[in-house]
């Protein structure tokens, strides 16, 4: 990364973290590892770069990996007001410092953010995506129509934990008892609650793509790079329908299903996801 746009800081854990300054002055923290063509990892909702440390290590055996905290998360800064364009600018700032061949990998809503970056003209060579959570058929379950309002109200009342629970149960489909179990793991629950304020960001990234309607081809027409869309064989069929729909409208896309995996595979089973990403990015 070019030194004039990057500085190092010492994180809370004592480790060294690079900081890239985005277009609006927000500092975006990232870790760089490996060598070769670069890939930037884009996190999902309720996640920061700690969730993709294992995947980053596997990919770093083949690529330069930039694992970053999206704005408002981890060691990254934030601005008073949020727009999806600012998150796209964050990715553009990271890509701009890498030079040469750069690809993006994103999971869930992070996959959609990566798509939006490519559609907006950020210069990337390839996109690898895991289960972008589009809802493209009427019969497929999507989030409540008033999701943004409900989450916003809970956050405005300072009920960040309740906002996390609402998102997990109403959007991610997690049983309430499973959320209660997570509350018994203080470190994990504290981290999730600490990310609650970024839930509106992911809701904005998804926009109106989860309403059970076909994807708008015009919205994604700028994505003309080779794209791999991965889904898990144990995930609900809606993810595969969405992936197939996306692959059907992008000119250079392929869809592959990985047997035995579910929506959390990027974190829980990175050794099974990494080989497909490596194969694709090596072309």
């Amino acid at each position: 990364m070019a030194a004039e746009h990057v500085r190092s800081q010492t994180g809370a854990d004592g480790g060294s973290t690079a900081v890239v300054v985005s277009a609006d002055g927000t500092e975006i923290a990232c870790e760089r590892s490996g060598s070769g063509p670069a890939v930037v990892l884009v996190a999902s909702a309720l996640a920061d770069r700690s969730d993709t440390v294992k995947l980053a290590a596997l990919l770093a055996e083949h690529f330069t990996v930039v694992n970053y905290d999206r704005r408002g998360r981890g060691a990254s800064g934030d601005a008073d007001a949020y727009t999806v364009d600012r998150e796209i600018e964050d990715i553009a700032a990271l890509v701009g410092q890498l030079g040469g061949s750069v690809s993006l990998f994103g999971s869930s809503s992070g996959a959609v953010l990566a798509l939006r970056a490519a559609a907006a003209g950020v210069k990337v060579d390839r996109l690898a995506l895991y289960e972008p959570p589009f809802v493209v058929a009427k019969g497929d379950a999507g989030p409540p129509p008033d999701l943004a309002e409900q989450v916003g109200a809970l956050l405005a009342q300072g009920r960040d934990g309740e906002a996390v629970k609402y998102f997990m149960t109403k959007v991610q489909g997690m049983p309430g008892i499973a959320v209660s179990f997570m509350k018994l793991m203080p470190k994990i629950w504290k981290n999730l609650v600490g990310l609650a304020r970024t839930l509106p960001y992911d809701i904005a990234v998804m926009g109106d793509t989860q309403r059970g309607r076909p994807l708008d081809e015009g919205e994604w027409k700028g994505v003309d790079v080779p794209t791999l869309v991965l889904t898990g064989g144990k995930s609900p069929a809606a993810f595969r329908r969405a992936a197939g729909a996306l692959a059907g409208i992008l000119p250079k896309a392929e869809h592959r299903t990985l047997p035995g995996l579910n929506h959390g595979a990027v974190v829980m089973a990175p050794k099974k996801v990494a080989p497909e990403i490596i194969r694709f990015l090596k072309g």
Side-chain angles (χ1 to χ4, degrees), residues 21-222:
V21 180
S22 191
D24 70 345
T26 299
E27 296 185 340
I28 304 300
C30 61
E31 293 177 320
R32 179 173 174 170
S33 57
S35 60
V39 55
V40 177
L41 307 185
V42 187
S44 63
L46 293 176
D48 56 24
R49 73 178 189 267
S50 66
D51 291 88
T52 42
V53 166
K54 292 181 180 178
L55 178 64
L58 293 167
L59 297 180
E61 296 177 11
H62 304 269
F63 309 103
T64 297
V65 180
V66 174
N67 191 16
Y68 81 103
D69 283 328
R70 287 172 56 187
R71 62 173 53 218
R73 311 176 191 212
S76 287
D78 206 351
D80 292 336
Y82 175 84
T83 67
V84 177
D85 286 345
R86 283 183 168 172
E87 284 223 77
I88 292 173
E89 289 171 353
D90 298 344
I91 294 175
L94 292 163
V95 169
Q97 298 307 312
L98 288 162
S101 175
V102 182
S103 299
L104 301 180
F105 170 77
S107 61
S108 195
S109 54
V112 180
L113 178 57
L115 274 167
R116 292 199 183 280
V122 176
K123 301 299 183 183
V124 296
D125 293 331
R126 287 176 176 258
L127 290 173
L129 313 172
Y130 189 84
E131 294 199 345
F134 298 129
V135 180
V136 299
K138 286 184 177 180
D140 292 337
D146 61 348
L147 173 64
E149 290 78 11
Q150 292 290 342
V151 169
L154 290 170
L155 294 175
Q157 296 165 19
R159 299 165 62 190
D160 292 17
E162 288 300 308
V164 170
K165 180 179 179 180
Y166 185 86
F167 188 85
M168 286 182 157
T169 56
K170 300 297 184 180
V171 180
Q172 296 178 330
M174 187 177 293
I177 191 170
V179 178
S180 298
F181 180 74
M182 293 186 73
K183 291 182 179 180
L184 300 178
M185 297 179 281
K187 184 177 180 180
I188 292 175
W189 185 249
K190 181 180 179 181
N191 188 54
L192 289 169
V193 174
L195 294 167
R197 296 276 155 175
T198 63
L199 284 173
Y201 301 3
D202 288 277
I203 295 170
V205 166
M206 294 309 303
D208 63 356
T209 63
Q210 296 179 299
R211 302 297 173 86
R213 298 192 296 262
L215 294 173
D216 179 359
E217 293 189 35
E219 190 170 9
W220 310 106
K221 65 181 180 180

